[in-house]
Amino acid sequence: MTSPNSQTEELDDKYLRTIFVQGREYQQHSIDKQISFEPVDSDEAERLELQHRVFSRAFDNRLVFPPIPDLRRVLDCGYGTGSWAIDVAEQNPNCEVIGVDIYPDMNPDDTPENLWLQVDDLNRAFTFPSNNFDLVHSRLLAAGINRARWASYIRDIKRVLKPGGWVQIVEIYFNVQSDNGSINEGHALRQWSSQLMRSMEGIKDLRVGTRLKTLLIAAGFTEIDIKMIPLPLSAWPDNPTSRGIGAMNGENITRLLASLSLYPLTQLLHMPQMQYQELISRAEREAGDKSLKAYFPLYVCIGRKPHH
Ligand SMILES: C[S@@+](CC[C@H](N)C(=O)[O-])C[C@H]1O[C@@H](n2cnc3c(N)ncnc32)[C@H](O)[C@@H]1O
């Protein structure tokens, strides 16, 4: 990884090579190296944009949660379509925003001048200088950061933060919950979650959202604050704001159920195609069933690097 001031290197072709699996497009490099099993096609880019709008609503349109009066340098880990990084760059013209992702081709061609996008694998040690950023943001990397890498990933984030700088991490825990306890192991949504977690068990930690506080404490962060926000799968909540979030999230969830699990379930777990299709159809129907009051726990965590 380089700084925006260093010379631009030509992009290695291997990062742009893609393969098709059952109609979805994946980055060959990510699949070969078991970095990420999520599609990189325009369908997924659209879904990530929609999900960003769902999050904006759930977070009251706030992009940055810690109190940082003068945002000068920000790192976005796994920028995806660049939705968060672009918004931060546009709202803070005096801030340099740097995004890192393993796949360089999901973001729009036109990006703000104060945004620099780079290609790298976050499973490797960061090469940014120490004491460099006011904020490091990491959102939905559970399926990309290796299970064994999390502790050193958080330590790397701390190293590159300026003293007094902040980390902001957002992760969905894909184990579906029900607000009235009506979801059990017989439901397709539960089977979807457990099969997804099982498919990546030795490689990734899809439960990392529940461990963020422990990880931040272990790395020496202070002023840690963690919240669990229930992300409704459909418009079931009584509260109008949450109902609105659920209504927006419906389409995201329908798309997410398929896009997140297609490769892991059919290629890693070798689930037959018919069985996979049937599971997804049942899970989609349940996600839209308001009586189940289904939600994904969304973990939002911030922590501060001590001044000394
Ligand atoms: C689920 S998307 C989230 C994108 C964005 N953070 C957001 O919230 O919209 C995960 C992104 O992280 C990237 N990614 C996953 N593992 C990675 C890794 N080890 N190194 C770099 N990028 C990674 C993927 O290519 C993808 O763009």
Side-chain angles (χ1 to χ4, degrees):
M1 291 182 211
T2 49
S3 84
N5 303 327
S6 66
Q7 291 197 324
T8 309
E9 284 174 40
E10 205 158 310
L11 190 63
D12 191 325
D13 260 5
K14 76 176 177 200
Y15 294 113
L16 291 168
R17 241 169 266 140
T18 58
I19 51 165
F20 283 85
V21 178
Q22 297 186 17
R24 299 299 302 261
E25 189 177 10
Y26 296 85
Q27 186 193 40
Q28 169 113 52
H29 177 70
S30 268
I31 295 290
D32 289 351
K33 303 278 178 209
Q34 300 201 315
I35 296 168
S36 161
F37 307 108
E38 290 165 62
V40 296
D41 44 30
S42 55
D43 260 25
E44 182 63 357
E46 245 179 53
R47 186 190 72 76
L48 289 175
E49 288 293 308
L50 170 62
Q51 186 167 260
H52 177 63
R53 293 199 295 277
V54 172
F55 286 160
S56 300
R57 187 104 171 240
F59 301 151
D60 255 343
N61 287 320
R62 279 168 60 217
L63 294 165
V64 174
F65 311 141
I68 308 174
D70 190 18
L71 209 53
R72 286 304 171 114
R73 274 177 72 80
V74 170
L75 173 64
D76 186 21
C77 297
Y79 61 80
T81 59
S83 48
W84 184 89
I86 290 170
D87 284 359
V88 171
E90 281 177 349
Q91 289 181 21
N92 300 273
N94 294 327
C95 177
E96 291 182 334
V97 181
I98 293 129
V100 172
D101 203 288
I102 194 66
Y103 186 67
D105 213 13
M106 267 207 294
N107 55 286
D109 292 336
D110 254 356
T111 51
E113 280 187 2
N114 54 333
L115 172 64
W116 286 265
L117 299 177
Q118 306 180 356
V119 184
D120 211 338
D121 180 2
L122 295 160
N123 285 311
R124 301 197 316 198
F126 288 10
T127 55
F128 289 110
S130 301
N131 307 324
N132 200 356
F133 297 101
D134 301 295
L135 173 69
V136 177
H137 176 251
S138 172
R139 191 168 79 180
L140 305 186
L141 267 294
I145 299 298
N146 290 338
R147 175 180 281 277
R149 163 72 171 144
W150 271 98
S152 65
Y153 176 60
I154 302 287
R155 283 199 301 272
D156 270 2
I157 289 176
K158 181 166 167 247
R159 183 182 64 73
V160 301
L161 279 170
K162 293 178 189 167
W166 292 83
V167 63
Q168 175 176 322
I169 308 182
V170 175
E171 287 295 339
I172 297 177
Y173 178 33
F174 289 105
N175 191 10
V176 174
Q177 307 293 312
S178 164
D179 205 42
N180 58 11
S182 59
I183 294 187
N184 58 43
E185 301 313 309
H187 282 92
L189 280 171
R190 269 289 160 78
Q191 288 158 10
W192 178 86
S193 314
S194 49
Q195 299 280 39
L196 185 67
M197 288 192 229
R198 196 162 73 84
S199 69
M200 298 189 217
E201 203 140 52
I203 318 170
K204 311 287 180 188
D205 181 7
L206 295 193
R207 294 183 175 81
V208 74
T210 64
R211 293 203 297 129
L212 292 174
K213 187 172 181 182
T214 312
L215 283 164
L216 262 60
I217 291 172
F221 278 94
T222 57
E223 300 181 52
I224 298 165
D225 187 27
I226 182 149
K227 283 193 176 55
M228 192 284 279
I229 301 174
L231 199 60
L233 268 50
S234 59
W236 58 260
D238 293 333
N239 170 300
T241 309
S242 307
R243 191 165 58 246
I245 295 166
M248 265 181 98
N249 201 22
E251 193 193 334
N252 173 40
I253 294 298
T254 307
R255 291 173 156 210
L256 172 152
L257 288 169
S259 72
L260 227 69
S261 66
L262 176 68
Y263 194 94
L265 267 51
T266 66
Q267 309 300 305
L268 302 179
L269 281 189
H270 306 293
M271 186 183 277
Q273 177 67 14
M274 288 256 293
Q275 195 185 332
Y276 169 78
Q277 285 303 347
E278 200 239 349
L279 178 67
I280 296 295
S281 306
R282 279 174 51 222
E284 279 175 8
R285 274 199 302 279
E286 290 173 8
D289 178 350
K290 295 181 193 160
S291 71
L292 290 177
K293 297 186 185 282
Y295 68 89
F296 283 132
L298 177 66
Y299 287 95
V300 178
C301 188
I302 60 169
R304 191 171 204 185
K305 176 173 173 170
H307 281 96
H308 303 291

